């Protein structure tokens, strides 16, 4: 009897010790609770057929969806988003112009992969080189532009990495301007970082003039260009931006599209084929446009506020434009509330906060902007007070 009791006790203890393991196993079968973004969308819930993906609103940088978006991966020719960004900045700064003539170096002419077959010593304008990079993903044209902007590819790559740091691209290392990765062991970037630099690039309207072109020519019509991004032709609202593919990177794209004022950047990395990549981008963009909208409020001016201790009796304030991404069904429910201080006591500097404009959807505040003075308000002097008293006395 004692032996049976001892055995039973041992069994009960063993079961108790195994219970936590059992619960842990069941938990693994059910899977961990996925991370969610601020809209309550679970990480990777769309199950896109790729290694990594992200959907970002272009004007606010708001992340709407992500799937392994922070892993550093080979980006192939999507690298050229940064190449193009630095070229656009050089154009805006006036250091180069689109009608400048570039003499092609032996180094640029030697580039393999996608190319427009530049020859050493050939002369081509910046605009045609830009079109070659954006539309045809030409590696030789990308190198030619980098050398023209910075003097050498190495100097340009250093600028690429500096710009990446400036934009907060924490999972990025550029080793070249093309994305060719046969010898580039650590040329890596995350989908999130690609979205960040893509949002920065589309701030330059000129780039969209090229990236939205389906077919064009260079060399006075002698050489045809067809966009590597088929979404430009087949997806409604697509404005660009850049595709890429190598055996190491798989098929990648940073696709930009706009509908009803909502601008989206969709990044797909590591798809197994061009069609799978395009299907994943289409799915993600469709989902974004179906579920989200951009709320916008223009800049404005407040009602007058009384001023104490100044020759100025009242003053108005101004507030900047406001925009944010909301769920589409919330767009018509957003309310604007203006709160102003009762009065201002002089002196106050320019930009003094005198109120706030807040935006709410039900009980949830979605954002706010400050109302500030546009001019300095000086305290009234003794002589100004005396003059006012004297003026009033004359009216009696």
């Amino acid at each position: 009897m004692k032996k049976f009791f001892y055995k039973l006790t041992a069994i009960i203890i063993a079961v108790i010790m195994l219970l936590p393991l059992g619960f842990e196993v069941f938990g693994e079968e059910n899977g961990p609770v996925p991370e969610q973004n601020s809209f309550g969308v679970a990480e990777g819930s769309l199950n896109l057929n790729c290694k990594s993906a992200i959907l970002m609103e272009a004007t606010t940088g708001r992340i709407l969806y992500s799937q392994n978006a922070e892993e550093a991966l080979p980006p192939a020719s999507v690298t050229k988003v940064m190449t193009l960004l630095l070229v656009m900045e050089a154009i805006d700064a006036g250091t180069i112009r689109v009608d400048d003539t570039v003499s092609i170096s032996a180094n640029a002419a030697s580039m393999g992969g996608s190319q427009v077959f530049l020859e050493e010593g050939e002369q081509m304008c910046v605009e045609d080189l830009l079109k070659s990079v954006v539309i045809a993903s030409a590696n030789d044209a990308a190198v030619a532009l980098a050398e023209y902007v910075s003097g050498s590819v190495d100097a340009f790559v250093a600028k690429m990495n500096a710009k990446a740091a400036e934009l907060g691209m924490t999972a990025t290392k550029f080793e070249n301007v093309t994305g060719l990765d046969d010898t580039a062991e650590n040329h890596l970037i995350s989908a999130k970082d690609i979205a960040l630099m893509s949002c920065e690039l589309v701030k330059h309207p000129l780039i969209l003039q090229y990236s939205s072109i389906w077919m064009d020519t260079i060399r006075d019509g002698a050489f045809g260009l067809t966009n590597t991004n088929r979404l430009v032709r087949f997806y409604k609202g697509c404005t660009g931006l850049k595709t890429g593919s190598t055996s190491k990177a798989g098929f990648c794209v940073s696709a930009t599209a706009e509908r009803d004022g909502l601008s989206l950047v969709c990044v797909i990395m590591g798809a197994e084929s061009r069609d799978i990549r395009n299907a994943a981008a289409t799915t993600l963009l469709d989902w974004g446009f179906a579920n989200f909208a951009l709320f916008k409020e223009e800049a404005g001016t407040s009602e007058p506020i009384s001023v104490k201790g100044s020759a100025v009796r009242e003053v108005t304030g101004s507030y900047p434009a406001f925009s944010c991404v909301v769920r589409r069904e919330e767009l018509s429910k957003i309310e604007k509330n203006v709160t102003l201080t009762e009065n201002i006591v002089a002196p106050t500097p320019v930009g003094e906060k005198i109120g706030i404009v807040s935006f709410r959807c039900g009980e949830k505040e979605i954002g706010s902007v400050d109302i500030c003075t546009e001019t300095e308000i000086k305290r009234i002097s003794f002589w100004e007070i005396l003059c006012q008293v004297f003026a009033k006395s004359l009216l009696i």
Side-chain angles (χ1 to χ4, degrees):
M1 188 68 180
K2 286 184 178 180
K3 288 183 178 180
F4 173 77
F5 177 78
Y6 291 148
K7 287 181 179 180
L8 181 61
T9 302
I11 291 170
I12 292 171
I13 292 172
V15 170
I16 291 172
M17 292 178 67
L18 287 172
L19 277 175
L21 178 60
F23 286 143
E24 185 177 343
V25 170
F26 284 125
E28 282 296 311
E29 286 182 351
N30 293 331
V33 177
E35 290 186 14
Q36 296 185 337
N37 67 17
S38 58
F39 288 107
V41 180
E43 166 89 11
S45 57
L46 295 180
N47 296 315
L48 300 172
N49 193 6
C50 58
K51 289 182 179 178
S52 179
I54 196 168
L55 185 67
M56 185 177 287
E57 199 283 317
T59 60
T60 63
R62 185 77 179 272
I63 296 173
L64 309 180
Y65 177 85
S66 64
Q67 176 178 312
N68 190 35
E70 299 196 18
E71 181 182 357
L73 297 167
S77 282
V78 181
T79 295
K80 297 184 180 96
V81 170
M82 180 60 83
T83 306
L84 292 166
L85 173 57
L86 294 184
V87 173
M88 288 295 109
E89 290 185 342
I91 291 172
D92 287 351
T95 55
I96 68 171
R97 300 182 304 176
V98 293
D99 58 355
D100 285 351
T101 299
V102 179
S103 183
I104 306 305
S105 70
N107 182 44
S110 70
M111 289 296 109
S114 301
Q115 56 183 302
V116 290
F117 304 99
L118 297 174
E119 296 182 1
E120 182 181 358
E122 181 179 358
Q123 305 287 305
M124 186 172 285
C125 69
V126 167
E127 182 173 54
D128 281 354
L129 290 171
L130 271 172
K131 289 195 294 185
S132 299
V133 175
V134 180
I135 301 171
S137 195
N139 296 316
D140 46 3
V143 171
L145 284 170
E147 291 175 338
Y148 187 64
V149 169
S150 295
S152 71
V153 169
D154 287 345
F156 192 88
V157 171
K159 286 185 178 181
M160 293 170 73
N161 285 308
K163 188 66 179 182
E166 179 187 324
L167 295 176
M169 297 165 57
T170 57
T172 294
K173 183 178 181 182
F174 293 113
E175 294 186 347
N176 58 51
V177 304
T178 62
L180 290 171
D181 51 25
D182 293 341
T183 59
E185 296 296 325
N186 298 303
H187 186 91
L188 302 170
I189 185 170
S190 67
K192 180 181 177 182
D193 286 357
I194 290 174
L196 288 173
M197 68 179 181
S198 298
C199 287
E200 192 69 17
L201 178 57
V202 297
K203 291 178 182 178
H204 302 267
L206 179 61
I207 197 66
L208 298 179
Q209 292 182 27
Y210 302 125
S211 65
S212 58
I213 294 171
W214 172 238
M215 299 182 75
D216 207 332
T217 62
I218 56 173
R219 298 187 175 107
D220 297 322
F223 191 92
L225 305 172
T226 301
N227 205 319
T228 59
N229 183 7
R230 293 194 171 191
L231 296 172
V232 167
R233 184 179 182 187
F234 298 108
Y235 189 82
K236 179 185 175 183
C238 184
T239 57
L241 187 63
K242 193 70 202 71
T243 63
S245 63
T246 64
S247 58
K248 187 184 292 186
F251 289 81
C252 309
V253 67
S254 177
T256 55
E258 182 173 349
R259 294 182 189 172
D260 301 323
L262 180 65
S263 298
L264 299 180
V265 172
C266 163
V267 178
I268 302 295
M269 299 187 75
E272 292 183 355
S273 71
R274 180 185 63 189
D275 290 343
I276 291 174
R277 173 193 69 192
N278 292 347
T282 297
T283 295
L284 190 49
L285 287 169
D286 281 348
W287 177 84
F289 285 123
N291 287 281
F292 298 97
L294 186 68
F295 172 78
K296 297 177 72 175
E297 175 74 17
E298 298 299 326
T301 304
S302 72
E303 294 293 323
I305 303 174
S306 63
V307 179
K308 292 182 177 180
S310 172
V312 178
R313 295 297 181 86
E314 59 183 25
V315 68
T316 59
S318 63
Y319 54 89
F322 171 80
S323 64
C324 72
V325 184
V326 297
R327 287 194 172 276
R328 185 163 290 277
E329 64 269 18
E330 294 178 339
L331 189 60
S332 61
K333 302 175 184 177
I334 296 173
E335 297 179 346
K336 171 185 173 183
N337 298 295
V338 179
T339 305
L340 295 169
T341 57
E342 291 185 5
N343 53 62
I344 302 172
V345 178
T348 61
V350 177
E352 179 80 1
K353 181 179 175 181
I354 59 173
I356 189 169
V357 182
S358 60
F359 303 91
R360 304 186 69 86
C361 182
E363 297 299 316
K364 179 179 67 175
E365 182 173 315
I366 62 172
S368 63
V369 289
D370 290 340
I371 303 171
C372 299
T373 57
E374 295 181 298
T375 58
E376 179 185 5
I377 304 171
K378 295 181 179 180
R379 188 171 183 81
I380 192 168
S381 67
F382 172 78
W383 293 108
E384 285 175 318
I385 295 173
L386 191 62
C387 288
Q388 286 185 8
V389 171
F390 181 70
K392 286 182 179 180
S393 66
L394 291 177
L395 295 174
I396 297 175

